[in-house]
């Protein structure tokens, strides 16, 4: 069965950026997702289209098909007083929009009463190198299609 819209896919992967392994699936714990629903980065999802169980390949995903280009305007200066606890450089925090949507950001620096915050995704601007092995492809159940994601045994994905 080929990977296509509304198929549930299980795969092992390794993500490398600039020669450093940043993420990977653990042995016996594949990434399972519902194809064609925007649940993984667009460049990887497109590369998986048409593949089948047993396919083992590499994909290079440019920034525009991954986490986007870096946007210098997404770096803002916040007031230290807006934070409840100590603020640490390099740590990720969350700001909540008026509608309740959480926005993650990384603290670049803390200088006096100012905090420089980067709202870019951590991998924005990076070319992503994936090694992928397709482990299984199946039709999604009616419930999976309704909820918009694949059921993974033992996990609550909500």
């Amino acid at each position: 069965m080929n990977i296509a819209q509304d198929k549930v896919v299980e795969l092992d992967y390794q993500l490398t950026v600039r020669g450093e392994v940043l993420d990977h699936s653990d042995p016996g714990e594949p990434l399972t997702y519902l194809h064609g629903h925007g649940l993984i980065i667009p460049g990887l999802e497109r590369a998986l289209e048409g593949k089948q169980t047993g396919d083992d390949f590499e994909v290079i995903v440019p920034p525009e098909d991954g986490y986007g280009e870096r946007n210098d305007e997404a770096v803002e200066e916040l007031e230290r007083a807006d934070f409840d606890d100590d603020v640490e450089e390099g740590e990720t925090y969350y700001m909540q929009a008026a509608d309740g949507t959480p926005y993650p950001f990384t603290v670049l620096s803390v200088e006096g009463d100012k905090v420089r915050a980067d709202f870019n995704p951590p991998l924005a601007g990076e070319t992503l190198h994936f090694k992928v092995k397709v482990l299984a492809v199946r039709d999604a159940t009616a419930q999976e299609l309704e909820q918009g994601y694949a059921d993974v045994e033992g996990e609550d994905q909500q």
Side-chain angles (χ1 to χ4, degrees):
M1 179 178 295
N2 290 348
I3 297 174
Q5 181 71 33
D6 297 335
K7 301 295 183 192
V8 173
V9 180
E10 290 184 20
L11 55 87
D12 278 336
Y13 73 93
Q14 177 180 305
L15 167 61
T16 305
V17 174
R18 297 184 198 187
E20 180 182 348
V21 175
L22 296 185
D23 196 15
H24 59 85
S25 55
D26 291 325
E29 296 181 19
L31 170 66
T32 303
Y33 77 99
L34 181 59
H35 192 80
H37 291 256
L39 301 174
I40 63 174
I41 60 171
L44 180 57
E45 190 165 53
R46 276 194 304 278
L48 285 161
E49 187 80 23
K51 302 290 192 222
Q52 56 190 339
T53 300
D55 286 350
D56 195 349
F57 60 100
E58 295 186 21
V59 179
I60 297 174
V61 179
E64 61 271 17
D65 290 331
Y67 292 96
E69 297 290 348
R70 269 195 67 67
N71 177 1
D72 291 337
E73 293 178 16
V75 176
E76 299 180 19
E77 197 169 84
L78 306 175
E79 296 296 323
R80 171 65 187 89
D82 292 337
F83 293 81
D84 293 333
D85 299 318
D86 288 336
V87 181
E88 294 184 37
E89 289 182 19
E91 291 296 314
T92 299
Y93 296 88
Y94 294 86
M95 178 178 282
Q96 194 167 13
D99 68 358
T101 304
Y103 286 98
F105 63 91
T106 303
V107 172
L108 298 177
S109 64
V110 180
E111 297 171 13
D113 60 353
K114 301 293 182 192
V115 175
R116 281 191 66 229
D118 186 353
F119 288 86
N120 283 292
L123 295 177
E126 298 289 352
T127 298
L128 311 173
H129 298 258
F130 287 95
K131 290 182 182 178
V132 179
K133 179 163 186 170
V134 179
L135 302 177
V137 181
R138 66 170 172 81
D139 291 324
T141 65
Q143 178 179 334
E144 288 171 323
L145 291 173
E146 183 179 323
Q147 67 194 15
Y149 60 87
D151 286 325
V152 178
E153 191 173 317
E155 285 188 20
D156 178 12
Q157 293 191 357
Q158 289 190 17

